[in-house]
Amino acid sequence: MNESYFENLLRIDTSKFEYSGNGSFETSYEPTPYNSIIKLFKKYTPLENPHFVDFGSGKGRFSFIVNYFFGVGCTGVEVRTEYHKKCLENLASYGEKYTEKAKKIFFVNSSAEKYAISSFENVFYFYNPFSAKVFYKVVGNILDSVKDYERNVDIILYFPTDEFTYFLDTKTPFYHLLEVYPEGKYSNPKDKFVVYRYVKTTEVLTIEMQTTCKSCVEICSCK
């Protein structure tokens, strides 16, 4: 299914590519392809009671398509005022057709590092929206929220940079959960989603105890 099919289905306008810079063609807005998002969710199962946060949400596409298919809460965080206004226009149009679902979508005009993570937010999406320095700060904010309100959380990266994945692999308690290649691994190895998960301490201990018991089942009565 092509882009226009989903734009018409959702009654939103998010497809137009926009560029910034003086002839440099530096991409300032490029939405995640609809078909790629669909392929992600064929492989990835969200956490229980998910509430998604899309950092650098642009015109809101990711929030709308996830909300449409799953009926879950989504928050888009966008620093550029013109894109935030477009999100609100899209939300009004989407809400005319999908009234109840639209009540679970929120858009915030804020820089990512200043956005206050809520205790119910547990899936965070990034399509390379900002610098590595800002990404490190946002992940720190997520982990601070987890300390205050312990819960499992996922981070989803699309077209991830090596800096982002190295940081998560070596500097955080997140573990590498899944990779999804929308067009196939050998078509474009950079075109992929990478999912990282943080598991709260009580669940980690339970998993470790179960593993230990399995290893000693022949010499003890652990079950």
Side-chain angles (χ1 to χ4, degrees), residues 45-211:
T45 301
L47 294 165
E48 185 177 359
N49 299 319
H51 185 103
F52 290 77
V53 178
D54 178 9
F55 283 107
S57 57
K59 300 175 185 179
R61 172 180 293 191
F62 186 83
S63 292
F64 289 115
I65 193 69
V66 171
N67 174 264
Y68 172 77
F69 278 118
F70 300 103
V72 298
C74 302
T75 300
V77 181
E78 175 56 52
V79 68
R80 296 186 62 167
T81 302
E82 63 269 32
Y83 292 162
H84 174 68
K85 289 181 179 179
K86 188 62 180 180
C87 285
L88 298 181
E89 292 174 5
N90 283 328
L91 180 59
S93 179
Y94 179 81
E96 290 177 358
K97 187 174 182 180
Y98 307 106
T99 306
E100 292 304 312
K101 287 184 177 182
K103 293 177 181 179
K104 296 182 179 181
I105 299 178
F106 309 91
F107 292 108
V108 179
N109 187 196
S110 170
S111 62
E113 64 269 35
K114 292 182 180 179
Y115 178 72
I117 308 294
S118 296
S119 60
F120 56 85
E121 295 170 338
N122 58 0
V123 185
F124 303 92
Y125 180 68
F126 301 84
Y127 180 5
N128 293 340
F130 31 65
S131 68
K133 182 178 179 180
V134 174
F135 178 71
Y136 302 159
K137 173 61 177 175
V138 174
V139 173
N141 292 342
I142 293 171
L143 291 173
D144 286 343
S145 175
V146 168
K147 289 179 184 177
D148 294 334
Y149 305 96
E150 191 173 29
R151 61 198 187 278
N152 297 342
V153 298
D154 285 352
I155 287 177
I156 304 174
L157 308 176
Y158 184 50
F159 266 91
T161 67
D162 292 340
E163 288 178 298
F164 283 23
T165 55
Y166 180 80
F167 174 74
L168 291 174
D169 285 330
T170 64
K171 305 295 183 181
T172 76
F174 284 91
Y175 70 91
H176 184 282
L177 177 68
L178 178 69
E179 290 188 0
V180 178
Y181 293 84
E183 302 303 324
K185 185 173 183 178
Y186 300 105
S187 176
N188 182 353
K190 294 184 179 181
D191 182 0
K192 65 179 178 178
F193 295 94
V194 181
V195 183
Y196 285 84
R197 176 164 291 176
Y198 171 88
V199 179
K200 58 187 179 182
T201 305
T202 53
E203 293 192 13
V204 171
L205 292 175
T206 299
I207 292 171
E208 290 178 347
M209 290 175 65
Q210 289 173 345
T211 301

Side-chain angles (χ1 to χ4, degrees), residues 17-55:
F17 285 62
E18 297 185 23
Y19 301 91
S20 63
N22 297 321
S24 64
F25 296 98
E26 177 187 353
T27 302
S28 59
Y29 172 72
E30 182 177 352
T32 309
Y34 283 110
N35 285 331
S36 294
I37 297 172
I38 291 170
K39 290 176 182 178
L40 166 67
F41 286 102
K42 286 183 178 180
K43 300 288 186 180
Y44 165 70
T45 301
L47 294 165
E48 185 177 359
N49 299 319
H51 185 103
F52 290 77
V53 178
D54 178 9
F55 283 107

